[in-house]
């Protein structure tokens, strides 16, 4: 998030941010992910959020789902290569069924039950 805020100080506005790709770039634990998601919430035009290989915790996944539920334009989320447990998988599945603008959630190498992955993909 520090780099994002630095760029904002250089004239980039939250309206200009369309995608955040932090794949394979670990930013820290739950507090860092929470700060990032606050930034995402402040950027109404973001359509893509990529968080592959972030060691996301159940708390981070819950906050991600909460942010995505109320975000006006988020469509693609990549949480591949994170260990996602069944309860958080169900949250992601519910997100897809209650938020029609979510078009894709990338889930490869999450160790999530294949049935839940299939359910999520069918809903997006």
């Amino acid at each position: 998030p520090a780099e994002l805020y630095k760029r904002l100080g250089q004239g980039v506005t939250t309206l200009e941010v369309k995608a955040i790709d932090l794949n394979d770039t670990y930013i820290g634990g739950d507090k860092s992910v929470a700060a990032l998601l606050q930034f995402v919430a402040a950027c109404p035009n973001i359509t893509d959020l990529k968080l592959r290989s972030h060691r996301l915790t159940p708390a981070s996944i819950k906050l991600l789902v909460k942010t995505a539920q109320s975000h006006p334009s988020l469509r693609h989320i990549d949480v591949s290569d994170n260990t996602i447990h069944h309860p958080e998988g169900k949250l992601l599945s519910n997100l897809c069924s209650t938020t029609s603008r979510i078009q894709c959630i990338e889930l490869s190498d999450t160790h999530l039950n294949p049935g839940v992955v299939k359910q999520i993909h069918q809903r997006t």
Side-chain angles (χ1 to χ4, degrees), residues 51-124:
L51 298 171
R52 183 181 64 228
S53 298
H54 269 274
R55 293 180 262 162
L56 295 173
T57 66
S60 291
I61 295 290
K62 288 175 188 174
L63 189 53
L64 171 62
V65 168
K66 183 178 177 181
T67 301
Q69 285 172 329
S70 61
H71 198 278
S73 61
L74 188 61
R75 293 182 182 2
H76 300 94
I77 301 169
D78 184 352
V79 291
S80 299
D81 201 24
N82 286 284
T83 300
I84 298 178
H85 302 283
H86 187 75
E88 290 72 41
K90 292 303 253 180
L91 288 175
L92 290 167
S93 180
N94 290 339
L95 170 67
C96 295
S97 65
T98 61
T99 311
S100 62
R101 85 186 113 53
I102 301 294
Q103 296 173 352
C104 179
I105 298 180
E106 298 291 337
L107 295 163
S108 58
D109 299 318
T110 58
H111 309 288
L112 194 54
N113 177 302
V116 176
V117 171
K118 182 178 179 182
Q119 189 178 50
I120 290 169
H121 287 162
Q122 288 175 339
R123 293 178 175 177
T124 56

